[in-house]
Amino acid sequence: MTWLDLPADSLFGVDNLPYGVFSPAEGAPRAGVRVGDLVLDLAAALDDPVFAQASLNPFMAQGVARWREVRARVTELLTQDRHRAATEPHLHRLNEVTLRLPIEVADYVDFYASEHHATNLGRLFRPGTPPLTPNWKHLPIGYHGRAGTVVVSGTPVVRPKGQRKPADAEAPVFGPSVRLDIEAEVAYVVGTGSALGESVAVADFAERVFGVCLLNDWSARDLQAWEYVPLGPFLGKSFATSVSPWIVPLDALAHAWVAPPPRDPEPLPYLADAGKQGLDLTLEVRLNGHRISNPPYTSMYWTGAQMLAHLSANGATTRTGDLYGSGTVSGPREDQYGSLIELTAAGAKPLELPDGTWRTFLEDGDEVTLTGTAPGPSGSRIGLGEVTGRILPERPEPPAFWRT
Amino acid sequence: MTWLDLPADSLFGVDNLPYGVFSPAEGAPRAGVRVGDLVLDLAAALDDPVFAQASLNPFMAQGVARWREVRARVTELLTQDRHRAATEPHLHRLNEVTLRLPIEVADYVDFYASEHHATNLGRLFRPGTPPLTPNWKHLPIGYHGRAGTVVVSGTPVVRPKGQRKPADAEAPVFGPSVRLDIEAEVAYVVGTGSALGESVAVADFAERVFGVCLLNDWSARDLQAWEYVPLGPFLGKSFATSVSPWIVPLDALAHAWVAPPPRDPEPLPYLADAGKQGLDLTLEVRLNGHRISNPPYTSMYWTGAQMLAHLSANGATTRTGDLYGSGTVSGPREDQYGSLIELTAAGAKPLELPDGTWRTFLEDGDEVTLTGTAPGPSGSRIGLGEVTGRILPERPEPPAFWRT
């Protein structure tokens, strides 16, 4: 229990305690822990300068023993009455602070770990061939994305421009994307890295990964379709990737671990499961406030532990602040798809929203919000927070004489 | 002229003056300028703390006007006799310092801008289809690589492990790469970035890009072939990318700018050339000391200015420290190919070295060195330095009980 006045069904009770970075009304950005609709200023409450910084990276770099120590201490402060007087002054109201990108992103990788999503996209992008490529069930397919365009929830997304080739055209045209999409994902944040030439074993996942957040991998499908052969997605993805402001530590997910789906064929030994490393997370996708999907993370073929083992199997360094996304989370049912290209069959079946409008892809002014929850203790739920973004119209090029 | 005792044909005369980061025998890493076989300690010589740091990023972020001011001042110090007494004490012998990675890499992108290379690889990777994909002559194909594994010349390269699928096998196997290759490239370093939603025009190249270096994009062809469809190269590339320690500023390349090859079809307007933005650089690839190729950079289809305009066309942020490679530089002739997969026709035509040994791909202990030069004033040449690396055997996995 806690001395805080929290509703019993709060998604941000003392079993959650996710980490973020906030700017108070006055003063520099600093690390905080969310509880209810409040943020605890860690630098002040714990009197530790590692938290008086604009990213969680310095704290994450201290390692898993320290993460557990801090979580235990924060739990103590928020649950024992004797700490109330000293702790209360360091709590800020959420609506009086600005939430910031919680980590300094080192490398960003995005995987493709949902069998349903990969199958759906294979059918749409490569009709007439088997939807899953021959490698898909042998390794978690992934690629590097642009770390510099990972932005925090709430950051507006300017409609990207680029080349696309209309089906009936001889040559590509350049202009704003006309097939702007979302991808509902879960992402993992690496807390402590590994040296060049090393690999991180599947079993070592929990001592390397600090926590999880939600991620929207905005995707310009027309740009992507034209550019992605042979070296993969580039401008179709690199214009923006939004993340939720709260990193939920793995220890808060104690009740969420589940066995992943059966795999056939058996993965190679370096990808063998080490316990229940699947996660029972439920996502929700809202478009302009209307729920359009509930992707179930339990259906993901590859686990976060397998993704990390794979990405470091070749000896690649991992670093504090590395971020890797699961890829779009799509379940088997149509109301569980995590992208508009799937929800609308690539635009062939527009989606009617409850406000009477129809959508294929995103229009200017549209706002997309992903939320997620996980099982907590005793049938409760904990929240992953939300990641939201609104589409702004393409930015016009300034005339040449404006440039200096 | 200079008061320094430099040979007339030095590749590092006062017309070059590339920037790097070095550690003196004692003391912290700092920025320096190479002249002959000496390094000028900039923090000491210019009495400016921006150079007393372990990367060039703080200096690069100051912008093109400042880059020109510093270059003019360093030239003055090294050419005017009256500065000799004050400057000489700040010169270190190259062989008494340790050269470090000169920049903190923000995002790393690798392009695929050589028509000869893309054609050769298309034939090898996708036999029976047109070697250039339909998009290739419309846009500079590129993808994001792993920033965290960009290493400085001299760093040993541990043979990567990963999945590969032998042609006659049902399923992939996991183990050390048996087709370890190089890619000889030129890379561009972004000095000043651009905001989210902006684009960098082709004409703005020289005020954004700080300089160029050499890059070896080590490639495990067997890992790459198995993994790269549909999302592009990942573990086949991410284990290590080596760069030369000296960043040659664009102003040192004044005599190297040339018109790029004719393009057909005409690129879209946002990729239209703005002057002569091709570069007349000559590379050399040495394997265990034996020259095996001389890739000519003049043959590159896309320029560095077009690459930057393309990668930011969708509004992606660029940042100080962004690094982008040209892709393998291959000329039309067999002795101008920039990778072993091309030089040996994917292993079908082994290469005989002058020491009597034969190579298809790299063996443990092999050392690869890329060097490069550019035209300087009055028929002279300036050096891009070198990037070298030796292959170490795969690292064995420690037994489970070694792990803590």
Side-chain angles (χ1 to χ4, degrees):
Chain A
M1 289 301 87
T2 170
W3 47 261
L4 285 156
D5 182 25
L6 292 180
D9 61 351
S10 171
L11 294 174
F12 293 93
V14 292
D15 296 309
N16 191 345
L17 303 179
Y19 293 90
V21 170
F22 70 101
S23 295
E26 285 177 27
R30 62 198 63 195
V33 157
R34 177 169 177 180
V35 59
D37 290 329
L38 302 168
V39 189
L40 179 65
D41 179 339
L42 290 175
L46 303 182
D47 193 23
D48 184 338
V50 81
F51 298 110
Q53 306 198 40
S55 95
L56 297 173
N57 293 39
F59 167 53
M60 295 195 300
Q62 293 182 333
V64 64
R66 175 71 178 146
W67 310 338
R68 295 201 164 131
E69 188 178 278
V70 168
R71 184 170 167 82
R73 179 66 182 155
V74 170
T75 304
E76 230 173 62
L77 294 181
L78 296 175
T79 54
Q80 298 182 359
D81 283 337
R82 64 195 168 97
H83 293 301
R84 179 171 185 164
T87 305
E88 238 171 356
H90 305 310
L91 286 165
H92 297 253
R93 287 178 204 281
L94 251 187
N95 60 11
E96 291 172 0
V97 306
T98 306
L99 297 178
R100 306 175 63 113
L101 187 65
I103 61 169
E104 190 182 335
V105 181
D107 271 297
Y108 164 51
V109 167
D110 203 19
F111 284 93
Y112 193 53
S114 159
E115 183 176 359
H116 306 291
H117 173 71
T119 303
N120 292 338
L121 255 65
R123 287 203 184 105
L124 296 170
F125 273 103
R126 293 176 297 280
T129 63
L132 289 185
T133 50
N135 50 16
W136 200 93
K137 291 203 166 182
H138 293 280
L139 52 82
I141 298 271
Y143 67 102
H144 285 92
R146 193 162 185 83
T149 49
V150 176
V151 296
V152 72
S153 176
T155 307
V157 173
V158 176
R159 181 176 295 271
K161 284 181 286 198
Q163 290 193 26
R164 59 192 160 87
K165 190 170 161 297
D168 54 354
E170 280 280 303
V173 296
F174 182 82
S177 169
V178 297
R179 287 162 77 95
L180 186 54
D181 199 355
I182 58 156
E183 296 200 328
E185 305 194 12
V186 170
Y188 299 84
V189 176
V190 173
T192 50
S194 51
L196 193 65
E198 276 183 28
S199 304
V200 179
V202 168
D204 293 342
F205 170 73
E207 67 182 51
R208 300 293 188 156
V209 168
F210 178 74
V212 305
C213 62
L214 299 173
L215 182 148
N216 186 347
D217 176 28
W218 305 94
S219 297
R221 300 297 180 191
D222 40 0
L223 277 54
Q224 183 185 353
W226 172 235
E227 75 181 354
Y228 90 106
V229 176
L231 299 186
F234 186 35
L235 298 200
K237 303 277 195 173
S238 65
F239 56 95
T241 305
S242 301
V243 293
S244 55
W246 299 108
I247 313 294
V248 175
L250 292 195
D251 280 348
L253 297 171
H255 301 268
W257 301 108
V258 291
R263 281 66 158 262
D264 180 23
E266 192 75 25
L268 283 159
Y270 81 102
L271 292 175
D273 290 314
K276 291 184 178 178
Q277 294 180 315
L279 274 173
D280 174 17
L281 310 177
T282 304
L283 309 189
E284 179 168 297
V285 184
R286 290 200 306 268
L287 174 54
N288 298 336
H290 309 297
R291 183 179 64 191
I292 58 172
S293 178
N294 276 110
Y297 196 75
T298 40
S299 65
M300 299 299 276
Y301 195 88
W302 298 104
T303 68
Q306 289 171 317
M307 296 176 207
L308 183 59
H310 183 66
L311 81 79
S312 63
N314 64 350
T317 324
T318 62
R319 293 182 291 173
T320 296
D322 279 352
L323 176 74
Y324 61 97
S326 62
T328 308
V329 184
S330 288
R333 296 204 321 258
E334 281 192 26
D335 61 348
Q336 296 178 325
Y337 294 167
S339 66
L340 288 172
I341 195 171
E342 293 168 271
L343 287 164
T344 69
K349 297 201 288 188
L351 207 61
E352 184 173 16
L353 301 181
D355 63 8
T357 63
W358 295 78
R359 284 295 179 288
T360 50
F361 292 95
L362 295 174
E363 298 187 1
D364 291 345
D366 278 352
E367 186 175 65
V368 177
T369 303
L370 314 180
T371 57
T373 62
S378 323
S380 66
R381 309 237 13 123
I382 66 170
L384 299 179
E386 66 171 39
V387 53
T388 189
R390 184 182 293 276
I391 306 301
L392 299 186
E394 60 152 335
R395 190 170 298 196
E397 280 301 316
F401 61 80
W402 283 14
R403 293 202 310 265
T404 51
Chain B
M1 288 299 85
T2 171
W3 47 261
L4 286 154
D5 183 24
L6 292 179
D9 61 352
S10 171
L11 294 175
F12 293 93
V14 292
D15 296 309
N16 191 345
L17 303 180
Y19 293 90
V21 169
F22 70 101
S23 295
E26 285 178 25
R30 61 198 64 193
V33 157
R34 176 168 177 181
V35 59
D37 291 329
L38 302 168
V39 189
L40 180 65
D41 179 338
L42 290 175
L46 304 181
D47 193 23
D48 185 338
V50 80
F51 299 109
Q53 307 197 39
S55 94
L56 297 173
N57 293 38
F59 167 53
M60 294 196 300
Q62 295 182 331
V64 65
R66 175 71 176 148
W67 309 338
R68 294 201 165 132
E69 188 178 276
V70 168
R71 183 169 168 82
R73 179 65 183 157
V74 170
T75 304
E76 231 173 61
L77 295 181
L78 296 174
T79 55
Q80 298 182 1
D81 283 339
R82 63 195 169 96
H83 294 300
R84 178 171 186 162
T87 304
E88 240 172 355
H90 305 310
L91 287 165
H92 297 252
R93 287 177 205 281
L94 251 187
N95 60 10
E96 290 172 1
V97 305
T98 307
L99 298 178
R100 306 177 61 116
L101 187 64
I103 61 169
E104 190 182 334
V105 181
D107 270 297
Y108 164 51
V109 167
D110 204 19
F111 284 93
Y112 193 53
S114 160
E115 183 175 357
H116 307 292
H117 172 71
T119 303
N120 292 338
L121 256 66
R123 287 202 184 105
L124 296 169
F125 273 102
R126 292 177 297 281
T129 64
L132 289 185
T133 49
N135 51 16
W136 200 91
K137 291 205 166 180
H138 293 280
L139 51 81
I141 299 271
Y143 68 101
H144 286 92
R146 193 162 185 83
T149 49
V150 175
V151 296
V152 72
S153 176
T155 307
V157 173
V158 176
R159 180 177 296 272
K161 285 181 285 199
Q163 289 193 27
R164 60 192 159 87
K165 188 169 163 298
D168 53 354
E170 279 280 305
V173 296
F174 181 83
S177 169
V178 297
R179 286 162 78 94
L180 185 54
D181 199 355
I182 58 156
E183 295 200 330
E185 305 194 13
V186 169
Y188 298 83
V189 177
V190 173
T192 50
S194 51
L196 193 64
E198 273 183 31
S199 304
V200 179
V202 168
D204 293 342
F205 170 74
E207 65 182 51
R208 301 292 187 156
V209 168
F210 179 74
V212 305
C213 62
L214 300 172
L215 182 148
N216 186 348
D217 176 29
W218 305 95
S219 298
R221 300 297 181 191
D222 40 0
L223 278 53
Q224 183 185 353
W226 171 235
E227 75 181 353
Y228 91 105
V229 176
L231 299 186
F234 187 34
L235 299 200
K237 302 279 196 171
S238 65
F239 57 95
T241 305
S242 301
V243 293
S244 56
W246 299 108
I247 313 293
V248 175
L250 293 194
D251 280 348
L253 297 171
H255 302 269
W257 301 108
V258 293
R263 281 68 158 260
D264 181 21
E266 191 75 24
L268 282 161
Y270 80 101
L271 292 174
D273 290 315
K276 292 183 177 178
Q277 295 181 314
L279 274 173
D280 174 17
L281 311 176
T282 304
L283 309 188
E284 180 169 295
V285 184
R286 291 200 305 268
L287 174 53
N288 298 336
H290 310 297
R291 184 179 63 190
I292 58 171
S293 178
N294 277 108
Y297 195 76
T298 40
S299 65
M300 299 299 275
Y301 195 86
W302 298 105
T303 67
Q306 289 171 317
M307 296 176 206
L308 182 59
H310 184 65
L311 80 78
S312 63
N314 64 351
T317 324
T318 63
R319 292 182 291 174
T320 296
D322 279 353
L323 176 75
Y324 61 97
S326 62
T328 309
V329 183
S330 288
R333 296 205 322 257
E334 281 191 25
D335 61 348
Q336 296 178 324
Y337 292 168
S339 66
L340 288 171
I341 194 172
E342 294 169 89
L343 287 164
T344 69
K349 296 201 289 187
L351 207 62
E352 183 173 19
L353 300 181
D355 63 9
T357 63
W358 295 78
R359 284 295 179 289
T360 50
F361 292 95
L362 295 174
E363 299 187 0
D364 291 343
D366 278 353
E367 185 174 66
V368 177
T369 303
L370 315 180
T371 57
T373 63
S378 321
S380 67
R381 301 215 51 97
I382 66 169
L384 300 178
E386 67 171 40
V387 52
T388 190
R390 185 182 293 276
I391 307 301
L392 300 186
E394 60 151 333
R395 188 170 299 195
E397 280 302 316
F401 61 81
W402 283 14
R403 292 204 310 265
T404 51

